[in-house]
Structure formats: structure tokens, C-alpha cells
Amino acid sequence: MNGFKGPGLRKVGSHSSLSDADDHDLSRLHDRHILSLDRQRSCDERSMNELSISIRAIDSHDSVYSPGGMRSGFSTPASSCRNPFEPHPIIAEAWEALRRSIVYFKGEPVGTIAAFDHASEEVLNYDQVFVRDFVPSALAFLMNGEPDIVKNFLLKTVYLQGWEKRIDRFKLGEGAMPASFKVLHDPVRRIDNLVADFGESAIGRVAPVDSGFWWIILLRAYTKSTGDLTLAESAECQKGIRLILALCLSEGFDTFPTLLCADGCSMIDRRMGIYGYPIEIQALFFMALRCALTMLKHDTEGKEFVEPIVKRLHALSYHMRSYFWLDFQQLNDIYRYKTEEYSHTAVNKFNVIPDSIPDWVFDFMPTRGGYFIGNVSPARMDFRWFALGNCVAILSSLATPEQSMAVMDLIEERWEELVGEMPLKVTYPAIENHEWRIVTGCDPKNTRWSYHNGGSWPVLLWLLTAACIKTGRPQIARRAIELAETRLLKDSWPEYYDGKIGRYVGKQARKFQTWSIAGYLVAKMMLEDPSHAGMVSLEEDKAMKPLIKRSASWTCPDPAN
């Protein structure tokens, strides 16, 4: 089965409709941010051509519509040794594998299962449609001009959001989205039923914090791709957005704008020491807030959320850019921190003990480059690299243009560690020995350099590619994709790879993992047509306050004087 509807030149459309806040600041200003091209390093002529297409497509739209919804041609760029107009031979097989994973409800496609691995004896929950797992599948279908499955998925999940959600005798928040759902076919009665999991069946019984954020991001991608405003403006979707916002913007005892989360609440869905304020959740939270702001109707119910969103975005961007960002200079500053500081002039605001800085980070940090660390909370900084959070930070413009380029610099400088033989390390480095026993509870699946503990996940290719296009560095993505193409089909599309450089198929990795397949396809189609990145990319908001160095607190006037 040919996965493409047909080759051909793409048309660029422009629909005057709902104004897109991607091209406006949070106060609805009309200045549009223009990416600076003079920061590029080592872009070849082909990369420059792709970049110019990307910038025109992402920056120049006056409406919510993006040409990304048009079907993708068959001329995906391949290795430099191949004819650039000849598709890579594994693309057709990838589409066939993706289509085999489609799930139907009453005859309509509503999603894709997590894995189609007949060789595995235990199905577990890999036969379910996961919200986070479906995102790359949805993007692939949108890019190929097949939006119906995405629309059906969005409507089914927002319908499930309305269910009463209980774990034991405790009722979850009304806005919580399911982690996954399953379609049960009754061949006797000839009816289909939906069964949702809100965390009550998950390992550790943790509700998925990221599901609601991914749903909002995907709704915006669908709207951006198709130009169809009716879905986002429907009563069901507007209510779904408001319920998610009400849940995550509710007031509590927090002193930070970041969201406090339990371990296992996101893609890393097992105990891995991400409890607190994990970068993945904060970046997705930021992006979901910005997407929601573009889609909320300014009616009686919707407009009451606008001001809280704007205030939270300003506070969150300042907090993340100031306290989560790490580069060579910042690492040196933390190394020299004084402790037990008191009052508003404190530089070491979280009272981090310099001796707690792990040895590996001093060798890992290049003089050129930087990244958002994994977690910041009182007396604790998790210096690990988390790929998804950093890529989403770039795509959402939580990262400044300078920080975005620094993340790309880091990936180039530490290619062997972060990419190796199979892109991309979900976390770096692995935790091991006594630390592994304490942090993971001796988890046999998260042993060193495996699964979430330093494993290499091909699905991250699409996020890396989108981030590369946004920063004008598509050659990095091309290099990573060419690496993956040497193994993915031969290894039957594994869920993840093990080893320090990602050389071995994961010891418990499922084969024909759907998001590994879809992630590859999305990455290829983005390189073919960089305007596709507009579906998942938000430009910097000029109303955001610039990064203020912590050392500036020393210059604050003394209130006693």
C-alpha cells in the first residue's frame, strides 16, 4: 500500500481568518519577530535554501492557516549520495507500517496503537492509543493531507475528558485528559466501546500531566495545517481547553510559576527522579498556554483566562530562562556560589550547594553551547540533559533565539554523547550503581543506558528536526536522519536503543513501535518542506521580558538606604 496520496507540487494558500497569536505578542501587538540569519554556522548552500523556505513559511503568515496541510510530495531529501528527488526506499514501508497501526471506532479512524509487535508475547498496554504517542502520527497524516483521523482523535479524547475519573476513592480534576484509550469491539452485538486510562492502570498510578498539553498543541497544529477553525471554535473543544487551563492555572501554595509534578507523569512514565519541576512538563506547559491563547474565543467564559495566561507566560519565561538555563559561564557561577544567603539580594536563590554539582557536567559542558537542565527546586538542581524538554523549549520560544542556537551548538559539540549511532538520547547521562538503586528503586527496565535511563529514542527525530529548522540548522537534522535510516527498517522500527552510543536494540524494546515510524516520517517530510514546521513552531513574543542575569540582583538598591 502506498502511503502517499500522490506526488506533486505544493500550493501555498492564505486564508484570512482568526488572527494567530504565533505572529503576535501576548498583548496582541502586531510586530512580528524575524529570525536572524547571521548566527548560522556551517550551513551549506542546500541548508540555506531550506532555511529561506522555512522562514517565509513560518514567519510570513497573517492567519492561522499553514500550507502544511497540503499533501507531501514523494521527493523527500535522502542521503547526499542519492538522487535528491528519489525517495528513500524505507519511506513506503514506513507508511505501510503506520497504516497497519490505525485504530477504528464505528468504522472511523481515531488513532494509532502504540506498537504493532506480533512477536511480543505480552501486549500490556501497547495495543492502546496514547495521547502523547499519537502526536507524531497525527503530524504525519496532516502533512500528507489526511486530517480526518486527527479530527476524530481530538474529538474522542475531549469526549473522554468529560468522564468521571477516579483512582480508588479519589476523584481526579475535571480537566485531566486520558493517558490512553482502547476500542473494544463486540462482534456479537456489533458495537464498539471506548475504555480510557487516566492513570488508574498505569505503572505507579500516576496521571499524565502532559496529555492535556499535547492535546492543545495538536489542536493548534490541526488548525494551522487545515485552516479549519470550526473544530477549535466548537463548544466541545473550547470547553476542553478551558478545563485544562483551569486545572493547571489554579492557585495553591506554589512560589514558582512552574508546575509541581510527580515522577512518571510524562514520556518518562516510570520512576526516574523527575519529580518536582521537570523541564519536559514546563516546556509543554508554556507551549500549550501560547497555543491556547491563539484558540480561545473571547466570549464570556474564554476571556477570563486571557489575563491569567499572559501573566503566567511572562513569569514562566523569566523563571525558566533565568534558573533552568545552563552554559559554561552559568556553571562557573554556580560553582562559585555562596550558600545560606538571605533577603532579596541573594544570588543563590535556591540555596544550591556547589558540592552537589556532579563531576560529569564539568567535562560535558563545552565553552560553546548550553541547555535547560532537568529540574530546579529548593537545594536541588538536576543537571541531566532531557531532549524533549529542550526541543520543545526551542519550538515554543521558551528559549530565547540565543539559547536556541546554544542548544544546537551543544548537540554538535557533544554529538557522540547525545546522538551517537542512533538519535536521540532521551536523557544524558545514565544514572547507575547506588544512585540508580535510590532514584529508580532498582527498576530492571531503567538500567544504565537503557529505556528512559540514557536510552536512544528514534521518535525524538521529529522534535530535533523541527528545532533544527527553526534555528536554521537543518544539516544537523539531516545527519541524524541519515544515521537512523541505516538501522530502523532493518531492526523493525524499535521503540528504543540501548548502550552508551545507542548501538543495540533495547532489551525490552517493542518492534514496529508506531511513534518510531511516525517520528521518522515527520522528520523526512519536514526536511522536504520546512514550512511543515510551522505546525509545531511558535515565534518569539516581543512582549516577553528579556533575560535578566541573576548577578543583577547585586545592583539592586538597598531598601534600608
Side-chain angles (χ1 to χ4, degrees), residues 15-71:
H15 293 216
S16 297
S17 52
L18 178 68
S19 63
D20 191 348
D22 307 344
D23 297 327
H24 299 264
D25 63 34
L26 299 178
S27 304
R28 306 289 180 177
L29 298 178
H30 298 291
D31 292 331
R32 185 173 295 117
H33 174 73
I34 305 299
L35 284 176
S36 173
L37 303 187
D38 57 45
R39 291 182 44 78
Q40 291 183 61
R41 299 181 179 91
S42 66
C43 280
D44 55 21
E45 182 179 354
R46 186 175 178 185
S47 298
M48 290 294 292
N49 291 336
E50 291 176 353
L51 177 59
S52 65
I53 296 172
S54 173
I55 293 173
R56 288 198 303 273
I58 296 173
D59 266 0
S60 65
H61 294 161
D62 295 323
S63 71
V64 76
Y65 181 70
S66 163
M70 310 294 287
R71 66 178 60 104

Side-chain angles (χ1 to χ4, degrees), residues 245-290:
L245 293 175
L247 188 63
C248 62
L249 292 175
S250 59
E251 295 180 350
F253 291 98
D254 299 302
T255 54
F256 314 129
T258 41
L259 284 181
L260 181 62
C261 304
D263 237 338
C265 65
S266 58
M267 174 185 175
I268 299 178
D269 57 2
R270 300 168 75 92
R271 183 174 161 189
M272 268 294 293
I274 67 165
Y275 63 90
Y277 305 92
I279 178 60
E280 176 178 335
I281 292 298
Q282 313 315 320
L284 287 171
F285 179 34
F286 184 87
M287 188 165 190
L289 288 178
R290 291 199 64 192

Side-chain angles (χ1 to χ4, degrees), residues 198-220:
F198 292 90
E200 68 270 26
S201 300
I203 295 173
R205 303 300 186 264
V206 179
V209 177
D210 63 338
S211 285
F213 300 151
W214 278 123
W215 184 86
I216 290 176
I217 292 166
L218 184 56
L219 178 61
R220 183 260 182 188

Side-chain angles (χ1 to χ4, degrees), residues 32-237:
R32 185 173 295 117
H33 174 73
I34 305 299
L35 284 176
S36 173
L37 303 187
D38 57 45
R39 291 182 44 78
Q40 291 183 61
R41 299 181 179 91
S42 66
C43 280
D44 55 21
E45 182 179 354
R46 186 175 178 185
S47 298
M48 290 294 292
N49 291 336
E50 291 176 353
L51 177 59
S52 65
I53 296 172
S54 173
I55 293 173
R56 288 198 303 273
I58 296 173
D59 266 0
S60 65
H61 294 161
D62 295 323
S63 71
V64 76
Y65 181 70
S66 163
M70 310 294 287
R71 66 178 60 104
S72 181
F74 211 67
S75 56
T76 305
S79 171
S80 57
C81 64
R82 300 177 54 82
N83 184 331
F85 297 102
E86 179 186 352
H88 197 281
I90 73 173
I91 289 178
E93 299 204 39
W95 273 108
E96 286 187 20
L98 180 60
R99 295 193 186 284
R100 283 197 301 269
S101 71
I102 294 177
V103 173
Y104 293 86
F105 179 77
K106 296 182 179 179
E108 295 291 329
V110 293
T112 52
I113 59 174
F116 196 79
D117 188 357
H118 290 302
S120 178
E121 296 179 359
E122 289 185 317
V123 175
L124 296 177
N125 57 357
Y126 283 83
D127 62 344
Q128 297 184 22
V129 180
F130 280 82
V131 173
R132 75 176 68 94
D133 290 42
F134 181 66
V135 171
S137 295
L139 295 176
F141 288 122
L142 288 173
M143 292 176 187
N144 202 43
E146 303 176 61
D148 288 350
I149 185 174
V150 183
K151 182 177 182 179
N152 294 338
F153 169 85
L154 290 166
L155 288 171
K156 283 293 176 287
T157 46
V158 79
Y159 163 74
L160 294 171
Q161 182 194 40
W163 287 13
E164 183 178 87
K165 303 169 274 285
R166 287 184 179 272
I167 296 181
D168 294 333
R169 298 186 180 183
F170 184 73
K171 185 178 178 181
L172 274 69
E174 190 178 3
M177 279 286 189
S180 63
F181 66 85
K182 185 175 182 178
V183 178
L184 297 179
H185 302 282
D186 187 334
V188 177
R189 300 169 60 191
R190 295 184 179 180
I191 59 173
D192 291 344
N193 291 305
L194 292 174
V195 178
D197 177 16
F198 292 90
E200 68 270 26
S201 300
I203 295 173
R205 303 300 186 264
V206 179
V209 177
D210 63 338
S211 285
F213 300 151
W214 278 123
W215 184 86
I216 290 176
I217 292 166
L218 184 56
L219 178 61
R220 183 260 182 188
Y222 170 87
T223 307
K224 187 85 172 172
S225 171
T226 64
D228 175 16
L229 304 176
T230 59
L231 180 63
E233 293 179 349
S234 67
E236 304 97 312
C237 289

Side-chain angles (χ1 to χ4, degrees), residues 414-425 428 430 448-450 454-457 483 487 497-505:
R414 295 293 177 259
W415 185 267
E416 187 72 7
E417 292 87 346
L418 301 180
V419 180
E421 294 188 11
M422 176 57 64
L424 182 65
K425 286 294 179 193
Y428 181 90
R448 65 176 185 172
W449 306 114
S450 181
S456 300
W457 291 67
L483 261 181
R487 294 284 303 275
Y497 286 76
D498 285 354
K500 202 166 185 177
I501 57 175
R503 177 173 293 174
Y504 304 98
V505 173

